Amino acid sequence: MLRASLREVSAALKEGRVSPTELCRRCLSLIKSTKFLNAYITVLEEAALKQAEESEKRYSRGQPLGVLDGIPIAVKDNFNTAGIETTCASNMLKGYVSPYNATVVQKLMDQGAVLLGKTNLDEFAMGALGSDTGGSTRNPAAHCGLVGLKPTYGLISRHGLIPLVNSMDVPGILTRCVDDAAVVLGSLAGHDPKDSTTIQDSFKPFELPNLTDISKLSIGIPKEYHAPGLSSEILAVWSKAADLFKSAGAKVIEVSLPHTRYSIVCYHVLCAAEVASNMARFDGLEYGHRSDMNKSTESMYAATRREGFNDVVRGRILSGNYFLLKQNYENYFIKAQKVRRLIANDFVKVFRSGVDILLTPTTLSDAVPYMEFIKEDNRTRSAQDDILTQAANMAGLPAINVPTALSERGLPVGLQFIGRSFQEKQLLTVARWFEKQVKFPMIQLEVVKRHDHDVVQHQKSASFS
């Protein structure tokens, strides 16, 4: 059951082939066996089993709440959860218990999903993991062989998501397959009166059609995404994917997004500026960590923030405040906003030219070995990780990573599809067609005996590569 898709598990629950409690126990067992991965900050074993029991009662009455009833889920620890600690992996919020659920969490719970726990992330999501601000759903998805969806900005509520960059943050969805991403999207999308940036129109969940004829499809290949540092393996996979669409009858054309080369610098200026603003609330007075320093209010503020934030967060706060200084505001923040508009306009022009979907790499390479990863500072690593993904956030467009092949080292490689604003159905339909063609092997975490043993096992080799 742990290898099945969401719809397959839901069907098994309805037919009684597996119970919600049994499924929950299996997932909790897997969490325990892979504890050394440090994937979870909080595991809610007792609460999860209780939720599973309630789901079991609903199934026995023939009254499940929906396709997600009894389905185990995990929520990153920057989403507020009522009565459960929400830390953002920081000392600043260690021990903080939110009085309410984030809208996306509440929607999942209302459909009977079973919350297993809160997952780990870089502090306040400032790095390669977290909600999707610059690629933090699609990047880990590419490295882990998963589908990672960043919906259009405003399609899913941000209420209860502890903010990093308000104008770019989007709750992301990580699933085994594209169909599952569509199911979860259908449960989460729509207007939220608690978030004024969400769409006003009602959202109707959809089932993905079985695409057979792609002759009317136009796929754009942005030449600027052949970026410095792009590995030969990723380039080869990208080229093969373009050839796959072409041979199946789609129109594949090279397009230009000329301001892409400025996007990563623009992104970091805007990101730091909004971080500085958002982190100002953590002063030790209202909630979160408070230093014992009591010589003065100013010294308490300073000590609280020094003790509560790590070097990366403090660095971004300092950078952001520098960009927002009166003498720097026009040259940095305002100029970055203007460049952001140019980047967004590039996408508009390409889509208006008749292109339906853009096909790009998601990452520059497969996952970097840990010893190599720690040789570089967080800022350098983040810039490299986000270089192919953050432009979609600045333009507010939907984008999805689809696992495509295995590298020579046996590690997952993914490709990114970028769609038109609020055209998730078209984006996911094309992504699903591609997923079926490449037949990426499902990756399993088998029983782990030792810390230093390889844990990732592949059922078969990737046929696409």
Side-chain angles (χ1 to χ4, degrees):
M1 239 353 97
L2 294 180
R3 300 181 182 185
S5 71
L6 190 155
R7 288 188 182 278
E8 289 169 339
V9 174
S10 181
L13 289 169
K14 287 180 182 178
E15 295 165 9
R17 287 185 281 122
V18 66
S19 72
T21 303
E22 182 185 358
L23 182 60
C24 181
R25 290 188 187 280
R26 289 188 194 179
C27 290
L28 289 169
S29 176
L30 181 60
I31 291 171
K32 288 178 182 177
S33 69
T34 57
K35 186 177 180 180
F36 73 91
L37 292 174
N38 200 26
Y40 281 79
I41 290 178
T42 303
V43 178
L44 304 167
E45 182 170 0
E46 186 177 335
L49 287 170
K50 187 175 180 180
Q51 291 171 27
E53 288 170 5
E54 291 299 318
S55 174
E56 204 161 314
K57 292 176 183 177
R58 290 191 292 270
Y59 275 106
S60 66
R61 296 194 300 265
Q63 298 175 335
L65 296 175
V67 69
L68 294 180
D69 204 340
I71 299 293
I73 60 163
V75 175
K76 288 187 174 107
D77 202 29
N78 57 347
F79 287 93
N80 282 313
T81 43
I84 302 167
E85 190 176 30
T86 300
T87 70
C88 285
S90 69
N91 287 328
M92 181 61 79
L93 287 179
K94 188 175 182 180
Y96 170 67
V97 177
S98 172
Y100 68 96
N101 281 326
T103 295
V104 289
V105 174
Q106 190 61 53
K107 284 187 172 184
L108 291 170
M109 303 295 278
D110 288 346
Q111 293 219 11
V114 175
L115 181 60
L116 297 175
K118 307 290 290 292
T119 56
N120 210 343
L121 64 156
D122 285 309
E123 185 169 313
F124 284 99
M126 296 191 197
L129 297 175
S131 53
D132 203 312
T133 304
S136 303
T137 296
R138 289 158 287 158
N139 281 328
H143 289 320
C144 296
L146 297 173
V147 169
L149 172 65
K150 182 205 86 70
T152 304
Y153 183 84
L155 187 60
I156 295 181
S157 172
R158 292 182 297 111
H159 174 70
L161 167 62
I162 295 175
L164 176 64
V165 181
N166 301 64
S167 68
M168 299 184 210
D169 291 345
V170 179
I173 299 169
L174 287 162
T175 58
R176 293 260 189 182
C177 63
V178 175
D179 261 328
D180 287 358
V183 171
V184 178
L185 179 68
S187 300
L188 300 182
H191 177 67
D192 179 12
K194 296 175 182 176
D195 179 2
S196 62
T197 63
T198 51
I199 55 171
Q200 295 299 313
D201 299 333
S202 60
F203 177 85
K204 186 177 181 180
F206 52 79
E207 286 197 18
L208 298 180
N210 188 23
L211 186 65
T212 54
D213 180 12
I214 65 169
S215 61
K216 296 180 180 179
L217 191 67
S218 179
I219 302 291
I221 309 295
K223 62 182 181 181
E224 288 81 8
Y225 278 68
H226 190 167
L230 187 68
S231 73
S232 57
E233 275 190 303
I234 299 287
L235 179 59
V237 170
W238 186 21
S239 298
K240 286 181 180 179
D243 291 341
L244 176 64
F245 276 102
K246 193 172 182 178
S247 62
K251 182 180 180 183
V252 178
I253 57 173
E254 183 180 80
V255 297
S256 179
L257 299 167
H259 296 94
T260 294
R261 58 179 176 154
Y262 306 115
S263 64
I264 192 65
V265 176
C266 173
Y267 168 74
H268 280 296
V269 170
L270 296 175
C271 179
E274 293 199 41
V275 162
S277 175
N278 281 322
M279 295 297 110
R281 73 191 69 190
F282 301 112
D283 54 14
L285 293 180
E286 296 180 72
Y287 45 74
H289 173 70
R290 182 172 185 170
S291 175
D292 294 330
M293 178 69 71
N294 56 13
K295 290 182 180 179
S296 67
T297 303
E298 289 76 14
S299 65
M300 187 275 289
Y301 283 163
T304 293
R305 291 166 73 79
R306 183 176 63 251
E307 296 166 10
F309 295 136
N310 69 10
D311 291 343
V312 174
V313 177
R314 291 200 300 270
R316 293 199 187 186
I317 292 171
L318 287 170
S319 298
N321 282 321
Y322 176 80
F323 297 145
L324 294 172
L325 288 173
K326 185 177 180 180
Q327 62 267 35
N328 296 331
Y329 188 75
E330 290 284 340
N331 288 333
Y332 288 97
F333 185 74
I334 296 299
K335 189 175 287 186
Q337 290 282 34
K338 290 177 179 178
V339 173
R340 181 181 184 178
R341 174 53 57 195
L342 294 173
I343 292 167
N345 286 342
D346 284 347
F347 284 104
V348 171
K349 290 175 183 176
V350 165
F351 286 128
R352 282 181 179 171
S353 73
V355 169
D356 297 305
I357 300 289
L358 294 171
L359 171 63
T360 80
T362 307
T363 57
L364 294 173
S365 67
D366 59 4
V368 178
Y370 177 72
M371 294 309 295
E372 186 178 332
F373 181 88
I374 61 175
K375 290 178 182 177
E376 293 181 311
D377 63 276
N378 184 283
R379 180 179 177 83
T380 302
R381 177 58 59 192
S382 293
Q384 292 172 343
D385 287 343
D386 294 340
I387 197 165
L388 301 172
T389 51
Q390 40 70 38
N393 291 80
M394 289 200 287
L397 298 173
I400 187 170
N401 172 78
V402 179
T404 306
L406 297 176
S407 68
E408 290 181 0
R409 295 187 294 177
L411 296 175
V413 169
L415 292 177
Q416 176 179 226
F417 293 84
I418 303 174
R420 301 167 187 251
S421 184
F422 296 108
Q423 296 299 311
E424 269 76 4
K425 185 174 183 179
Q426 182 188 46
L427 175 67
L428 291 168
T429 298
V430 174
R432 182 172 178 253
W433 179 88
F434 180 73
E435 178 185 58
K436 287 188 173 183
Q437 307 308 307
V438 299
K439 298 181 176 65
F440 183 81
M442 191 169 287
I443 295 175
Q444 299 297 325
L445 285 171
E446 304 295 353
V447 177
V448 182
K449 293 182 180 179
R450 283 175 54 94
H451 224 67
D452 54 352
H453 279 192
D454 292 334
V455 297
V456 178
Q457 303 291 329
H458 306 283
Q459 287 181 292
K460 58 182 179 180
S461 60
S463 59
F464 184 69
S465 58

